[in-house]
Amino acid sequence: MFKSMKFSSICSITLFTYVTFMSPILIYLTLSNKIILMEWEILSNSSYSITFPLILDPISVSFSCVVCLISACVMFFTSSYMSADPFLTRFVWLVMLFVLSMNILVFVPSIISLLLGWDGLGIVSFALVIYYQNMKSLAAGMVTALANRIGDVLLLISIAICANEANWNMMLIWENSMFPWLCLCILVGAMTKSAQIPFSAWLPAAMAAPTPVSALVHSSTLVTAGIFILIRFYYMLAAWPLFNFLALFIGTITLLMAGIGANHEHDLKKIIALSTLSQLGVMMLSLGLGAWNLTLFHLYTHALFKALLFLCAGAIIHNNNNVQDIRSFGALASQMPLTIACLNIANLALCGAPFLSGFYSKDLILETCLYNPTNSIALIMIFLATGMTAAYSIRLSLVTLWQESSNMPFTQNSDEDWIVTTPIIILTIAAITGGLVLQTVFFYFNEPIYLPLAHKLLTISVTLVGAWIAINIWKLKMAKNPEGSLANSFFSTMWFLSMITTQPNMIKPFMWAKTMTKSIDQGWLEVLGGKGTLNLTTKTSAMTQILQAKYINTMLSMMLLTAASVFS
């Protein structure tokens, strides 16, 4: 056990060292505005060569640093949080493979080489979601894997389309007759990875994984892979006329659906997962507005405070005998002051509270919605969802801060040891200062937007209204819809999306597969295939033997007649 904890700590130190080493390279690339493209020639045959390209630019290096910083904190947290796990070493290896797959995805500009990181994320995420090896985890893992396989297939189709040009570098692809189909495959493939509607069901289901995995999957790795691909190839995708409209529409619907669902949810980890889904919707609609730079900015700031939220949630769950229902919590602020303080800082950053990291990116995106010519209905839905984000965040804070204690008797809550609290403190500092630092370092995160004062104050006003509604509902301690009502079921299951995209889509194909197996594999293929051929050959041989044995005179006559007809 001690060796496993030591191995986890070594991996954490390795990742911290990597971030320290890459930081000067990031500063150099940013200040000089340079891009380094390297190609490793694997095989060369006459006029054709197989190469593995790598790109070092401010976007890839900065994203890699954010991923590895969060991974280092998560690994350090894991060494104490999962210290009782007998298979901790295996878990650490899986997480490190997950981080490696993400880095391959970040540094590779070729779509055919990108498949290594893309598929790696899908395979390792399945292994991590089913880590606890029970039926719930297996079901969640299957939903996650099947949703990701759709994206894998679409990426393979994209590679096949690019094969027409014998060029897989997405930065050098030009328009042709198949260009719209290429863009559609990449967009829908990215939607499956980033859990956009209608592929959203797997994201809350993936909460069956251990909390450190949730902190990685829902902050800076799996769900952001799809958004990062769209950012990386934005200028190619923007040449497709339908891209901006589809991105804006899908992002707005996803944002609204997740915001409503989070307000009807009671599971702590699922609330945070749905908040991730709503922020992914914000990133997608930002792409639809043409602000790829603000999408990247929000991706970074969101990764920092969302990882912090999950680590704080993990510490609370660990203290409460693995109970995740927020109705079972209460009076935690006096028992776990450090953890709850950090949780509420992350919550405020999620709401977009002024001068925290989420404010700098989210406020710019919402101001861009007002500044750009946007559909009025979409605008109303975006600000309605923004108010809901404030509502579920404040609801979570109220439950942990001021709700009376609902714990079981003799339950003792306290801040964990320094191994757990150190990564929480590091991420808290990042969640407070990250937005300002990133906006200062990267010039493309600064977007001058000139609006009337009323429009400028609209974002903060909507946030305050959402918070006020949450406080009043909490005070009344009553909901308009009872627990078992149809409306409550509709909203808490993401508009029945969880049921529509899982059971029906799995039961019918299984029934079809069973029918096909019985009628074709065990039916017609048996008659026309190997068994049928064997029977036909056996019967033909038997008849031939009978003819040869009993009708020898007839056979000789036939031979003589044939010979006579040939030589006549």
Side-chain angles (χ1 to χ4, degrees):
M1 194 64 63
F2 178 72
K3 286 182 180 179
S4 300
M5 291 173 64
K6 189 176 178 183
F7 179 58
S8 179
S9 302
I10 290 168
C11 291
S12 176
I13 293 165
T14 305
L15 290 167
F16 274 123
T17 307
Y18 171 83
V19 174
T20 309
F21 172 73
M22 292 298 284
S23 296
I25 299 172
L26 173 60
I27 293 166
Y28 167 73
L29 292 171
T30 305
L31 295 177
S32 60
N33 199 23
K34 285 186 177 179
I35 296 175
I36 301 170
L37 183 63
M38 299 177 288
E39 275 196 317
W40 173 38
E41 190 173 318
I42 300 170
L43 180 67
S44 179
N45 184 13
S46 64
S47 62
Y48 187 74
S49 61
I50 299 172
T51 60
F52 186 82
L54 289 172
I55 187 168
L56 293 175
D57 63 341
I59 293 175
S60 59
V61 177
S62 59
F63 190 68
S64 177
C65 285
V66 170
V67 169
C68 291
L69 174 65
I70 292 169
S71 303
C73 293
V74 169
M75 294 303 296
F76 200 61
F77 178 86
T78 302
S79 61
S80 173
Y81 183 82
M82 298 185 68
S83 57
D85 195 315
F87 305 110
L88 180 59
T89 305
R90 183 177 68 186
F91 177 78
V92 172
W93 273 115
L94 283 170
V95 173
M96 292 301 286
L97 276 173
F98 201 72
V99 176
L100 177 65
S101 300
M102 192 67 204
N103 277 286
I104 292 171
L105 189 81
V106 167
F107 286 115
V108 174
S110 167
I111 191 168
I112 198 166
S113 305
L114 195 76
L115 196 62
L116 284 173
W118 187 272
D119 250 350
L121 283 174
I123 294 164
V124 180
S125 67
F126 173 73
L128 286 168
V129 171
I130 65 167
Y131 182 76
Y132 283 136
Q133 297 180 12
N134 53 47
M135 290 304 293
K136 183 185 174 184
S137 297
L138 183 60
M142 285 302 294
V143 171
T144 304
L146 291 172
N148 283 303
R149 291 314 290 174
I150 296 170
D152 297 342
V153 170
L154 289 166
L155 195 68
L156 286 168
I157 294 170
S158 303
I159 291 169
I161 293 170
C162 293
N164 287 329
E165 301 174 17
N167 170 40
W168 289 279
N169 191 327
M170 298 299 288
M171 297 179 177
L172 303 174
I173 286 177
W174 53 85
E175 292 189 48
N176 56 29
S177 58
M178 296 295 287
F179 182 74
W181 295 106
L182 174 64
C183 293
L184 182 65
C185 286
I186 293 171
L187 175 62
V188 179
M191 282 167 56
T192 62
K193 270 284 193 285
S194 56
Q196 300 294 313
I197 195 168
F199 307 107
S200 306
W202 71 265
L203 191 63
M207 289 294 98
T211 302
V213 176
S214 301
L216 267 179
V217 167
H218 294 89
S219 64
S220 58
T221 48
L222 187 62
V223 293
T224 56
I227 299 291
F228 184 79
I229 292 299
L230 295 179
I231 294 168
R232 171 65 79 194
F233 306 135
Y234 175 74
Y235 287 110
M236 184 201 80
L237 294 168
W240 183 37
L242 283 175
F243 173 74
N244 286 337
F245 166 74
L246 287 174
L248 180 64
F249 175 75
I250 292 161
T252 306
I253 297 296
T254 305
L255 170 62
L256 186 65
M257 179 197 68
I260 295 170
N263 279 291
H264 285 79
E265 188 57 65
H266 298 292
D267 188 300
L268 177 59
K269 283 176 72 174
K270 283 191 177 179
I271 291 171
I272 303 173
L274 288 167
S275 76
T276 300
L277 194 55
S278 72
Q279 298 311 300
L280 289 167
V282 171
M283 294 176 208
M284 186 64 88
L285 73 89
S286 174
L287 276 172
L289 295 167
W292 69 267
N293 52 340
L294 299 183
T295 305
L296 186 67
F297 188 19
H298 192 57
L299 195 150
Y300 289 169
T301 55
H302 170 259
L304 295 170
F305 64 71
K306 191 50 58 73
L308 173 60
L309 260 176
F310 269 111
L311 293 191
C312 292
I316 292 169
I317 292 165
H318 199 248
N319 263 286
N320 284 273
N321 300 319
N322 299 320
V323 173
Q324 296 181 195
D325 195 321
I326 60 171
R327 292 169 293 188
S328 302
F329 301 150
L332 293 177
S334 57
Q335 301 171 55
M336 306 173 67
L338 178 62
T339 305
I340 299 303
C342 295
L343 176 77
N344 283 290
I345 288 169
N347 258 334
L348 289 170
L350 175 61
C351 291
F355 312 116
L356 294 176
S357 62
F359 168 76
Y360 291 92
S361 55
K362 192 174 180 180
D363 195 62
L364 275 175
I365 291 170
L366 293 172
E367 286 183 4
T368 305
C369 294
L370 293 167
Y371 183 76
N372 284 5
T374 312
N375 186 289
S376 300
I377 297 171
L379 199 64
I380 292 166
M381 290 170 69
I382 289 164
F383 278 93
L384 181 64
T386 304
M388 288 179 180
T389 301
Y392 65 70
S393 300
I394 298 300
R395 171 176 169 243
L396 188 56
S397 294
L398 291 170
V399 164
T400 54
L401 281 171
W402 291 298
Q403 180 172 289
E404 64 272 11
S405 181
S406 305
N407 297 328
M408 293 172 63
F410 308 110
T411 300
Q412 182 182 4
N413 290 323
S414 62
D415 284 318
E416 302 276 349
D417 55 2
W418 68 274
I419 299 175
V420 169
T421 53
T422 301
I424 288 175
I425 291 167
I426 292 169
L427 288 173
T428 303
I429 294 167
I432 295 169
T433 62
L436 180 61
V437 170
L438 287 167
Q439 203 169 53
T440 307
V441 171
F442 298 102
F443 69 90
Y444 44 80
F445 288 166
N446 289 287
E447 190 80 23
I449 297 172
Y450 302 100
L451 290 170
L453 182 61
H455 289 185
K456 280 280 186 185
L457 294 174
L458 183 60
T459 304
I460 192 71
S461 303
V462 168
T463 304
L464 289 172
V465 168
W468 177 76
I469 291 169
I471 290 168
N472 278 285
I473 290 173
W474 179 76
K475 279 182 179 177
L476 292 171
K477 293 194 175 181
M478 58 178 285
K480 290 184 179 179
N481 297 309
E483 284 292 317
S485 70
L486 181 65
N488 191 73
S489 300
F490 178 73
F491 292 127
S492 62
T493 56
M494 298 191 298
W495 305 351
F496 296 136
L497 199 64
S498 300
M499 292 177 278
I500 292 167
T501 58
T502 51
Q503 285 96 337
N505 286 352
M506 292 172 74
I507 290 169
K508 285 291 182 185
F510 280 141
M511 289 174 65
W512 294 337
K514 186 178 179 182
T515 306
M516 295 283 279
T517 302
K518 284 188 173 182
S519 62
I520 295 177
D521 188 41
Q522 296 174 358
W524 285 106
L525 281 180
E526 289 293 331
V527 175
L528 302 175
K531 194 173 180 181
T533 307
L534 177 64
N535 288 335
L536 181 64
T537 309
T538 306
K539 287 179 181 178
T540 307
S541 301
M543 288 176 67
T544 307
Q545 286 175 3
I546 291 168
L547 285 170
Q548 289 176 349
K550 292 186 177 180
Y551 302 102
I552 189 69
N553 295 332
T554 308
M555 292 292 296
L556 288 171
S557 302
M558 288 175 66
M559 287 172 63
L560 289 170
L561 285 170
T562 305
S565 63
V566 169
F567 292 111
S568 62

